[in-house]
Amino acid sequence: MQPFKISDRQLTAFREDAERRYISSVASFLQSNVPEAAQDKPEALTAFVSSMVGKARQYGLSSQHDVAVYATTAYLLGENFENQFQNHFDAAHRILSSSLPGPDKAEWLEHAALSLLTSGERMQD
């Protein structure tokens, strides 16, 4: 009996499919839980989430939970929140770019975002 082999092409297709399903699930989460997201066109929301997944991974966030925290924070506060908020997020870029493990970064981000959202401060474009 020969061992079952998966070609590189098949493996790539599996990864790409999993990535599409994950991005779709984050977009669905946003649509279900953020009223403004329910108003967005599905294609635009999916493109936004895909972009934020890429940014999150550049910051070393790799688990699905940690990446979803980043994407949700970016949706709520703006896609460049880590560079724009001076009061609560002046450390965001430094923390996200640090060598901290991804789960620690995501936990910090959750706490900072909740603090900002509950303070009533709004994004200035």
Side-chain angles (χ1 to χ4, degrees):
M1 187 159 123
Q2 292 186 351
F4 179 73
K5 288 187 179 185
I6 298 176
S7 71
D8 288 341
R9 195 174 97 210
Q10 289 170 316
L11 189 57
T12 298
F14 288 142
R15 284 186 187 133
E16 289 172 354
D17 182 58
E19 181 80 355
R20 277 191 297 277
R21 286 185 285 120
Y22 173 67
I23 289 169
S24 178
S25 73
V26 173
S28 293
F29 169 82
L30 289 172
Q31 285 182 318
S32 297
N33 294 284
V34 180
E36 296 84 7
Q39 309 289 324
D40 290 347
K41 292 183 178 183
E43 307 82 35
L45 186 57
T46 298
F48 174 82
V49 170
S50 180
S51 177
M52 294 306 100
V53 166
K55 277 183 75 174
R57 289 190 177 135
Q58 288 176 351
Y59 283 128
L61 302 171
S62 57
S63 77
Q64 289 185 345
H65 172 267
D66 297 348
V67 171
V69 166
Y70 182 88
T72 301
T73 302
Y75 187 86
L76 292 170
L77 303 180
E79 71 180 277
N80 292 312
F81 72 90
E82 67 268 41
N83 296 316
Q84 294 181 8
F85 276 104
Q86 297 304 312
N87 294 337
H88 289 82
F89 276 90
D90 53 351
H93 185 73
R94 185 172 37 82
I95 297 284
L96 290 169
S97 298
S98 75
S99 62
L100 285 172
D104 292 345
K105 291 178 186 182
E107 183 178 354
W108 178 89
L109 189 57
E110 283 181 88
H111 292 291
L114 286 173
S115 174
L116 180 62
L117 291 169
T118 58
S119 76
E121 196 170 328
R122 294 286 176 232
M123 183 77 161
Q124 303 292 322
D125 288 330

